[in-house]
Amino acid sequence: MTRYDTPGLATARLALSPYTEDDRAAFVALLGQDSVTRYMGDGGPMAEDASDAMFTKVLDEIYPAGSWPIWCVREGGRPVGHAEVKPSPGERI
């Protein structure tokens, strides 16, 4: 599979950019919040070790394989959120 280069996106207020190693602590803290994760996966906050492992997977597997775009959402340069466009199983158009 060809590597997918996740593009950066920006609005007047927010910037979406691929995660870097410097974002690890913010990613782990974000996924530990119920208000963030209640609609993700099984719902509810992730344990630190699980979210840390997920961050490693993003950098070491998902980005290099080009599986789908994943962004760190920043406001004023500070990480404030997470966004991704993950393909659904089944037929693609």
Side-chain angles (χ1 to χ4, degrees), residues 9-53:
L9 305 168
T11 69
R13 186 175 140 238
L14 300 173
L16 281 69
S17 59
Y19 284 101
T20 68
E21 186 59 47
D22 291 341
D23 300 316
R24 183 178 294 272
F27 181 92
V28 170
L30 187 69
L31 295 187
Q33 297 177 35
D34 183 58
S35 61
V36 173
T37 59
R38 68 175 163 237
Y39 301 112
M40 296 171 59
D42 295 331
M46 292 180 72
E48 270 189 45
D49 60 337
S51 55
D52 187 71

Side-chain angles (χ1 to χ4, degrees), residues 3-9 15-21 23 55 58-59 63 69-74:
R3 184 190 188 297
Y4 181 86
D5 291 318
T6 299
L9 305 168
L16 281 69
S17 59
Y19 284 101
T20 68
E21 186 59 47
D23 300 316
F55 188 81
V58 168
L59 292 186
Y63 281 161
I70 298 175
W71 295 277
C72 178
V73 180
R74 301 172 196 282

